[in-house]
PDB file of all heavy atoms in Angstrom:
ATOM      1  N   LYS A  25     -10.565  12.041   3.762  1.00 51.00           N
ATOM      2  CA  LYS A  25     -11.000  11.183   4.870  1.00 51.00           C
ATOM      3  C   LYS A  25     -10.072   9.989   5.018  1.00 51.00           C
ATOM      4  O   LYS A  25      -9.734   9.603   6.130  1.00 51.00           O
ATOM      5  CB  LYS A  25     -12.439  10.703   4.642  1.00 51.00           C
ATOM      6  CG  LYS A  25     -13.469  11.763   4.898  1.00 51.00           C
ATOM      7  CD  LYS A  25     -14.866  11.217   4.709  1.00 51.00           C
ATOM      8  CE  LYS A  25     -15.921  12.277   4.930  1.00 51.00           C
ATOM      9  NZ  LYS A  25     -17.263  11.775   4.709  1.00 51.00           N
ATOM     10  N   ALA A  26      -9.667   9.409   3.911  1.00 51.00           N
ATOM     11  CA  ALA A  26      -8.757   8.260   3.973  1.00 51.00           C
ATOM     12  C   ALA A  26      -7.422   8.679   4.579  1.00 51.00           C
ATOM     13  O   ALA A  26      -6.861   7.973   5.412  1.00 51.00           O
ATOM     14  CB  ALA A  26      -8.551   7.659   2.578  1.00 51.00           C
ATOM     15  N   ARG A  27      -6.923   9.843   4.180  1.00 52.00           N
ATOM     16  CA  ARG A  27      -5.652  10.327   4.736  1.00 52.00           C
ATOM     17  C   ARG A  27      -5.793  10.639   6.222  1.00 52.00           C
ATOM     18  O   ARG A  27      -4.901  10.343   7.014  1.00 52.00           O
ATOM     19  CB  ARG A  27      -5.173  11.558   3.977  1.00 52.00           C
ATOM     20  CG  ARG A  27      -4.635  11.213   2.619  1.00 52.00           C
ATOM     21  CD  ARG A  27      -4.034  12.409   1.942  1.00 52.00           C
ATOM     22  NE  ARG A  27      -3.589  12.022   0.615  1.00 52.00           N
ATOM     23  CZ  ARG A  27      -3.655  12.796  -0.438  1.00 52.00           C
ATOM     24  NH1 ARG A  27      -4.119  14.027  -0.329  1.00 52.00           N
ATOM     25  NH2 ARG A  27      -3.241  12.371  -1.608  1.00 52.00           N
ATOM     26  N   ARG A  28      -6.927  11.267   6.609  1.00 52.00           N
ATOM     27  CA  ARG A  28      -7.128  11.559   8.033  1.00 52.00           C
ATOM     28  C   ARG A  28      -7.180  10.275   8.830  1.00 52.00           C
ATOM     29  O   ARG A  28      -6.665  10.197   9.943  1.00 52.00           O
ATOM     30  CB  ARG A  28      -8.422  12.349   8.234  1.00 52.00           C
ATOM     31  CG  ARG A  28      -8.265  13.823   7.927  1.00 52.00           C
ATOM     32  CD  ARG A  28      -9.445  14.622   8.454  1.00 52.00           C
ATOM     33  NE  ARG A  28     -10.704  14.229   7.858  1.00 52.00           N
ATOM     34  CZ  ARG A  28     -11.287  14.834   6.841  1.00 52.00           C
ATOM     35  NH1 ARG A  28     -10.738  15.884   6.292  1.00 52.00           N
ATOM     36  NH2 ARG A  28     -12.425  14.407   6.370  1.00 52.00           N
ATOM     37  N   GLY A  29      -7.787   9.233   8.262  1.00 51.00           N
ATOM     38  CA  GLY A  29      -7.832   7.937   8.939  1.00 51.00           C
ATOM     39  C   GLY A  29      -6.434   7.379   9.140  1.00 51.00           C
ATOM     40  O   GLY A  29      -6.117   6.833  10.191  1.00 51.00           O
ATOM     41  N   MET A  30      -5.578   7.520   8.122  1.00 51.00           N
ATOM     42  CA  MET A  30      -4.207   7.030   8.231  1.00 51.00           C
ATOM     43  C   MET A  30      -3.442   7.825   9.285  1.00 51.00           C
ATOM     44  O   MET A  30      -2.675   7.272  10.069  1.00 51.00           O
ATOM     45  CB  MET A  30      -3.486   7.120   6.890  1.00 51.00           C
ATOM     46  CG  MET A  30      -3.968   6.121   5.885  1.00 51.00           C
ATOM     47  SD  MET A  30      -3.081   6.382   4.352  1.00 51.00           S
ATOM     48  CE  MET A  30      -3.109   4.736   3.707  1.00 51.00           C
ATOM     49  N   VAL A  31      -3.668   9.159   9.331  1.00 46.00           N
ATOM     50  CA  VAL A  31      -2.991   9.995  10.323  1.00 46.00           C
ATOM     51  C   VAL A  31      -3.461   9.616  11.723  1.00 46.00           C
ATOM     52  O   VAL A  31      -2.653   9.480  12.644  1.00 46.00           O
ATOM     53  CB  VAL A  31      -3.245  11.496  10.039  1.00 46.00           C
ATOM     54  CG1 VAL A  31      -2.789  12.362  11.199  1.00 46.00           C
ATOM     55  CG2 VAL A  31      -2.534  11.910   8.765  1.00 46.00           C
ATOM     56  N   ALA A  32      -4.761   9.406  11.891  1.00 47.00           N
ATOM     57  CA  ALA A  32      -5.290   9.020  13.199  1.00 47.00           C
ATOM     58  C   ALA A  32      -4.703   7.691  13.648  1.00 47.00           C
ATOM     59  O   ALA A  32      -4.348   7.516  14.814  1.00 47.00           O
ATOM     60  CB  ALA A  32      -6.815   8.944  13.144  1.00 47.00           C
ATOM     61  N   LEU A  33      -4.586   6.754  12.716  1.00 46.00           N
ATOM     62  CA  LEU A  33      -4.004   5.456  13.049  1.00 46.00           C
ATOM     63  C   LEU A  33      -2.540   5.603  13.427  1.00 46.00           C
ATOM     64  O   LEU A  33      -2.063   4.963  14.353  1.00 46.00           O
ATOM     65  CB  LEU A  33      -4.153   4.491  11.863  1.00 46.00           C
ATOM     66  CG  LEU A  33      -3.817   3.038  12.127  1.00 46.00           C
ATOM     67  CD1 LEU A  33      -4.622   2.491  13.295  1.00 46.00           C
ATOM     68  CD2 LEU A  33      -4.127   2.222  10.885  1.00 46.00           C
ATOM     69  N   THR A  34      -1.817   6.485  12.732  1.00 46.00           N
ATOM     70  CA  THR A  34      -0.411   6.731  13.056  1.00 46.00           C
ATOM     71  C   THR A  34      -0.274   7.317  14.456  1.00 46.00           C
ATOM     72  O   THR A  34       0.582   6.889  15.234  1.00 46.00           O
ATOM     73  CB  THR A  34       0.211   7.697  12.025  1.00 46.00           C
ATOM     74  OG1 THR A  34       0.088   7.108  10.732  1.00 46.00           O
ATOM     75  CG2 THR A  34       1.671   7.970  12.325  1.00 46.00           C
ATOM     76  N   VAL A  35      -1.122   8.290  14.796  1.00 44.00           N
ATOM     77  CA  VAL A  35      -1.080   8.901  16.122  1.00 44.00           C
ATOM     78  C   VAL A  35      -1.408   7.865  17.191  1.00 44.00           C
ATOM     79  O   VAL A  35      -0.732   7.769  18.211  1.00 44.00           O
ATOM     80  CB  VAL A  35      -2.047  10.111  16.197  1.00 44.00           C
ATOM     81  CG1 VAL A  35      -2.201  10.609  17.622  1.00 44.00           C
ATOM     82  CG2 VAL A  35      -1.553  11.228  15.303  1.00 44.00           C
ATOM     83  N   ALA A  36      -2.440   7.055  16.950  1.00 44.00           N
ATOM     84  CA  ALA A  36      -2.824   6.020  17.918  1.00 44.00           C
ATOM     85  C   ALA A  36      -1.689   5.017  18.113  1.00 44.00           C
ATOM     86  O   ALA A  36      -1.397   4.599  19.237  1.00 44.00           O
ATOM     87  CB  ALA A  36      -4.090   5.307  17.450  1.00 44.00           C
ATOM     88  N   THR A  37      -1.036   4.638  17.025  1.00 46.00           N
ATOM     89  CA  THR A  37       0.089   3.710  17.122  1.00 46.00           C
ATOM     90  C   THR A  37       1.219   4.327  17.925  1.00 46.00           C
ATOM     91  O   THR A  37       1.820   3.678  18.779  1.00 46.00           O
ATOM     92  CB  THR A  37       0.590   3.318  15.717  1.00 46.00           C
ATOM     93  OG1 THR A  37      -0.493   2.728  15.003  1.00 46.00           O
ATOM     94  CG2 THR A  37       1.749   2.346  15.795  1.00 46.00           C
ATOM     95  N   GLY A  38       1.526   5.600  17.672  1.00 46.00           N
ATOM     96  CA  GLY A  38       2.580   6.290  18.409  1.00 46.00           C
ATOM     97  C   GLY A  38       2.268   6.366  19.895  1.00 46.00           C
ATOM     98  O   GLY A  38       3.135   6.138  20.740  1.00 46.00           O
ATOM     99  N   LEU A  39       1.001   6.659  20.224  1.00 42.00           N
ATOM    100  CA  LEU A  39       0.609   6.706  21.631  1.00 42.00           C
ATOM    101  C   LEU A  39       0.720   5.338  22.277  1.00 42.00           C
ATOM    102  O   LEU A  39       1.188   5.207  23.413  1.00 42.00           O
ATOM    103  CB  LEU A  39      -0.821   7.244  21.764  1.00 42.00           C
ATOM    104  CG  LEU A  39      -0.987   8.738  21.465  1.00 42.00           C
ATOM    105  CD1 LEU A  39      -2.465   9.110  21.458  1.00 42.00           C
ATOM    106  CD2 LEU A  39      -0.237   9.570  22.475  1.00 42.00           C
ATOM    107  N   ALA A  40       0.304   4.302  21.565  1.00 43.00           N
ATOM    108  CA  ALA A  40       0.392   2.938  22.102  1.00 43.00           C
ATOM    109  C   ALA A  40       1.845   2.551  22.340  1.00 43.00           C
ATOM    110  O   ALA A  40       2.173   1.952  23.367  1.00 43.00           O
ATOM    111  CB  ALA A  40      -0.274   1.948  21.143  1.00 43.00           C
ATOM    112  N   LEU A  41       2.722   2.894  21.410  1.00 42.00           N
ATOM    113  CA  LEU A  41       4.145   2.600  21.588  1.00 42.00           C
ATOM    114  C   LEU A  41       4.714   3.382  22.762  1.00 42.00           C
ATOM    115  O   LEU A  41       5.529   2.868  23.527  1.00 42.00           O
ATOM    116  CB  LEU A  41       4.936   2.923  20.318  1.00 42.00           C
ATOM    117  CG  LEU A  41       4.736   1.974  19.147  1.00 42.00           C
ATOM    118  CD1 LEU A  41       5.430   2.514  17.907  1.00 42.00           C
ATOM    119  CD2 LEU A  41       5.244   0.589  19.477  1.00 42.00           C
ATOM    120  N   GLY A  42       4.287   4.626  22.924  1.00 45.00           N
ATOM    121  CA  GLY A  42       4.763   5.449  24.031  1.00 45.00           C
ATOM    122  C   GLY A  42       4.334   4.878  25.372  1.00 45.00           C
ATOM    123  O   GLY A  42       5.115   4.806  26.312  1.00 45.00           O
ATOM    124  N   VAL A  43       3.071   4.444  25.463  1.00 41.00           N
ATOM    125  CA  VAL A  43       2.573   3.857  26.704  1.00 41.00           C
ATOM    126  C   VAL A  43       3.283   2.540  26.995  1.00 41.00           C
ATOM    127  O   VAL A  43       3.665   2.264  28.113  1.00 41.00           O
ATOM    128  CB  VAL A  43       1.040   3.656  26.632  1.00 41.00           C
ATOM    129  CG1 VAL A  43       0.541   2.834  27.796  1.00 41.00           C
ATOM    130  CG2 VAL A  43       0.351   5.010  26.620  1.00 41.00           C
ATOM    131  N   ALA A  44       3.487   1.722  25.968  1.00 42.00           N
ATOM    132  CA  ALA A  44       4.160   0.436  26.159  1.00 42.00           C
ATOM    133  C   ALA A  44       5.593   0.627  26.621  1.00 42.00           C
ATOM    134  O   ALA A  44       6.130  -0.188  27.358  1.00 42.00           O
ATOM    135  CB  ALA A  44       4.136  -0.370  24.856  1.00 42.00           C
ATOM    136  N   GLY A  45       6.220   1.709  26.221  1.00 46.00           N
ATOM    137  CA  GLY A  45       7.611   1.954  26.587  1.00 46.00           C
ATOM    138  C   GLY A  45       7.776   2.626  27.939  1.00 46.00           C
ATOM    139  O   GLY A  45       8.892   2.895  28.351  1.00 46.00           O
ATOM    140  N   CYS A  46       6.696   2.897  28.652  1.00 44.00           N
ATOM    141  CA  CYS A  46       6.787   3.600  29.929  1.00 44.00           C
ATOM    142  C   CYS A  46       7.086   2.682  31.102  1.00 44.00           C
ATOM    143  O   CYS A  46       7.073   3.128  32.242  1.00 44.00           O
ATOM    144  CB  CYS A  46       5.497   4.379  30.206  1.00 44.00           C
ATOM    145  SG  CYS A  46       5.330   5.813  29.143  1.00 44.00           S
ATOM    146  N   GLY A  47       7.327   1.403  30.874  1.00 45.00           N
ATOM    147  CA  GLY A  47       7.652   0.482  31.964  1.00 45.00           C
ATOM    148  C   GLY A  47       8.992   0.842  32.561  1.00 45.00           C
ATOM    149  O   GLY A  47       9.811   1.518  31.966  1.00 45.00           O
ATOM    150  N   GLY A  48       9.250   0.390  33.774  1.00 44.00           N
ATOM    151  CA  GLY A  48      10.495   0.755  34.428  1.00 44.00           C
ATOM    152  C   GLY A  48      11.521  -0.348  34.369  1.00 44.00           C
ATOM    153  O   GLY A  48      11.189  -1.520  34.302  1.00 44.00           O
ATOM    154  N   GLY A  49      12.776   0.059  34.344  1.00 44.00           N
ATOM    155  CA  GLY A  49      13.875  -0.860  34.594  1.00 44.00           C
ATOM    156  C   GLY A  49      14.485  -1.501  33.386  1.00 44.00           C
ATOM    157  O   GLY A  49      13.862  -1.697  32.361  1.00 44.00           O
ATOM    158  N   GLY A  50      15.758  -1.809  33.531  1.00 45.00           N
ATOM    159  CA  GLY A  50      16.545  -2.674  32.661  1.00 45.00           C
ATOM    160  C   GLY A  50      16.459  -2.396  31.189  1.00 45.00           C
ATOM    161  O   GLY A  50      16.511  -1.277  30.742  1.00 45.00           O
ATOM    162  N   SER A  51      16.329  -3.482  30.440  1.00 43.00           N
ATOM    163  CA  SER A  51      16.408  -3.406  28.988  1.00 43.00           C
ATOM    164  C   SER A  51      15.189  -2.743  28.362  1.00 43.00           C
ATOM    165  O   SER A  51      15.230  -2.335  27.229  1.00 43.00           O
ATOM    166  CB  SER A  51      16.608  -4.808  28.401  1.00 43.00           C
ATOM    167  OG  SER A  51      15.479  -5.601  28.709  1.00 43.00           O
ATOM    168  N   ASP A  52      14.074  -2.641  29.102  1.00 42.00           N
ATOM    169  CA  ASP A  52      12.885  -2.002  28.556  1.00 42.00           C
ATOM    170  C   ASP A  52      13.139  -0.536  28.243  1.00 42.00           C
ATOM    171  O   ASP A  52      12.493   0.040  27.384  1.00 42.00           O
ATOM    172  CB  ASP A  52      11.695  -2.117  29.514  1.00 42.00           C
ATOM    173  CG  ASP A  52      11.142  -3.535  29.593  1.00 42.00           C
ATOM    174  OD1 ASP A  52      11.385  -4.312  28.652  1.00 42.00           O
ATOM    175  OD2 ASP A  52      10.479  -3.846  30.583  1.00 42.00           O
ATOM    176  N   ASP A  53      14.056   0.096  28.982  1.00 43.00           N
ATOM    177  CA  ASP A  53      14.343   1.507  28.745  1.00 43.00           C
ATOM    178  C   ASP A  53      14.915   1.746  27.355  1.00 43.00           C
ATOM    179  O   ASP A  53      14.770   2.813  26.797  1.00 43.00           O
ATOM    180  CB  ASP A  53      15.332   2.043  29.789  1.00 43.00           C
ATOM    181  CG  ASP A  53      14.710   2.084  31.193  1.00 43.00           C
ATOM    182  OD1 ASP A  53      13.451   2.101  31.269  1.00 43.00           O
ATOM    183  OD2 ASP A  53      15.469   2.099  32.172  1.00 43.00           O
ATOM    184  N   LYS A  54      15.547   0.751  26.762  1.00 40.00           N
ATOM    185  CA  LYS A  54      16.163   0.913  25.448  1.00 40.00           C
ATOM    186  C   LYS A  54      15.156   0.773  24.318  1.00 40.00           C
ATOM    187  O   LYS A  54      15.361   1.286  23.254  1.00 40.00           O
ATOM    188  CB  LYS A  54      17.293  -0.106  25.265  1.00 40.00           C
ATOM    189  CG  LYS A  54      18.445   0.146  26.206  1.00 40.00           C
ATOM    190  CD  LYS A  54      19.544  -0.862  25.991  1.00 40.00           C
ATOM    191  CE  LYS A  54      20.669  -0.622  26.972  1.00 40.00           C
ATOM    192  NZ  LYS A  54      21.717  -1.619  26.842  1.00 40.00           N
ATOM    193  N   LYS A  55      14.064   0.066  24.530  1.00 38.00           N
ATOM    194  CA  LYS A  55      13.095  -0.179  23.465  1.00 38.00           C
ATOM    195  C   LYS A  55      12.492   1.100  22.895  1.00 38.00           C
ATOM    196  O   LYS A  55      12.428   1.251  21.701  1.00 38.00           O
ATOM    197  CB  LYS A  55      12.003  -1.147  23.930  1.00 38.00           C
ATOM    198  CG  LYS A  55      12.522  -2.555  24.076  1.00 38.00           C
ATOM    199  CD  LYS A  55      11.431  -3.496  24.497  1.00 38.00           C
ATOM    200  CE  LYS A  55      11.995  -4.886  24.731  1.00 38.00           C
ATOM    201  NZ  LYS A  55      10.987  -5.791  25.249  1.00 38.00           N
ATOM    202  N   PRO A  56      12.034   2.072  23.708  1.00 39.00           N
ATOM    203  CA  PRO A  56      11.482   3.287  23.115  1.00 39.00           C
ATOM    204  C   PRO A  56      12.507   4.038  22.286  1.00 39.00           C
ATOM    205  O   PRO A  56      12.171   4.607  21.274  1.00 39.00           O
ATOM    206  CB  PRO A  56      11.022   4.110  24.323  1.00 39.00           C
ATOM    207  CG  PRO A  56      10.772   3.099  25.392  1.00 39.00           C
ATOM    208  CD  PRO A  56      11.800   2.025  25.152  1.00 39.00           C
ATOM    209  N   ASP A  57      13.795   4.046  22.723  1.00 40.00           N
ATOM    210  CA  ASP A  57      14.820   4.745  21.955  1.00 40.00           C
ATOM    211  C   ASP A  57      14.965   4.120  20.579  1.00 40.00           C
ATOM    212  O   ASP A  57      15.090   4.811  19.585  1.00 40.00           O
ATOM    213  CB  ASP A  57      16.164   4.704  22.684  1.00 40.00           C
ATOM    214  CG  ASP A  57      16.154   5.524  23.970  1.00 40.00           C
ATOM    215  OD1 ASP A  57      15.311   6.445  24.070  1.00 40.00           O
ATOM    216  OD2 ASP A  57      16.968   5.244  24.851  1.00 40.00           O
ATOM    217  N   LYS A  58      14.942   2.781  20.505  1.00 36.00           N
ATOM    218  CA  LYS A  58      15.082   2.105  19.215  1.00 36.00           C
ATOM    219  C   LYS A  58      13.899   2.419  18.318  1.00 36.00           C
ATOM    220  O   LYS A  58      14.053   2.686  17.149  1.00 36.00           O
ATOM    221  CB  LYS A  58      15.207   0.594  19.409  1.00 36.00           C
ATOM    222  CG  LYS A  58      16.546   0.180  19.967  1.00 36.00           C
ATOM    223  CD  LYS A  58      16.613  -1.319  20.111  1.00 36.00           C
ATOM    224  CE  LYS A  58      17.916  -1.749  20.736  1.00 36.00           C
ATOM    225  NZ  LYS A  58      17.969  -3.187  20.959  1.00 36.00           N
ATOM    226  N   SER A  59      12.674   2.371  18.873  1.00 35.00           N
ATOM    227  CA  SER A  59      11.518   2.642  18.031  1.00 35.00           C
ATOM    228  C   SER A  59      11.482   4.105  17.617  1.00 35.00           C
ATOM    229  O   SER A  59      11.064   4.428  16.522  1.00 35.00           O
ATOM    230  CB  SER A  59      10.221   2.237  18.738  1.00 35.00           C
ATOM    231  OG  SER A  59      10.012   3.045  19.882  1.00 35.00           O
ATOM    232  N   ALA A  60      11.937   4.996  18.496  1.00 36.00           N
ATOM    233  CA  ALA A  60      11.964   6.414  18.136  1.00 36.00           C
ATOM    234  C   ALA A  60      12.958   6.661  17.017  1.00 36.00           C
ATOM    235  O   ALA A  60      12.659   7.370  16.066  1.00 36.00           O
ATOM    236  CB  ALA A  60      12.316   7.257  19.356  1.00 36.00           C
ATOM    237  N   SER A  61      14.145   6.040  17.101  1.00 33.00           N
ATOM    238  CA  SER A  61      15.119   6.242  16.038  1.00 33.00           C
ATOM    239  C   SER A  61      14.677   5.564  14.752  1.00 33.00           C
ATOM    240  O   SER A  61      14.917   6.065  13.679  1.00 33.00           O
ATOM    241  CB  SER A  61      16.499   5.734  16.462  1.00 33.00           C
ATOM    242  OG  SER A  61      16.480   4.345  16.638  1.00 33.00           O
ATOM    243  N   ALA A  62      13.980   4.442  14.882  1.00 36.00           N
ATOM    244  CA  ALA A  62      13.484   3.766  13.680  1.00 36.00           C
ATOM    245  C   ALA A  62      12.445   4.634  12.982  1.00 36.00           C
ATOM    246  O   ALA A  62      12.419   4.718  11.763  1.00 36.00           O
ATOM    247  CB  ALA A  62      12.880   2.407  14.029  1.00 36.00           C
TER     248      ALA A  62
END
Side-chain angles (χ1 to χ4, degrees):
K25 285 182 181 178
R27 286 186 183 144
R28 280 194 299 263
M30 289 178 151
V31 169
L33 190 55
T34 301
V35 170
T37 302
L39 289 173
L41 288 172
V43 170
C46 288
S51 63
D52 288 339
D53 293 338
K54 294 181 182 177
K55 289 182 184 175
D57 292 337
K58 287 181 183 177
S59 65
S61 65

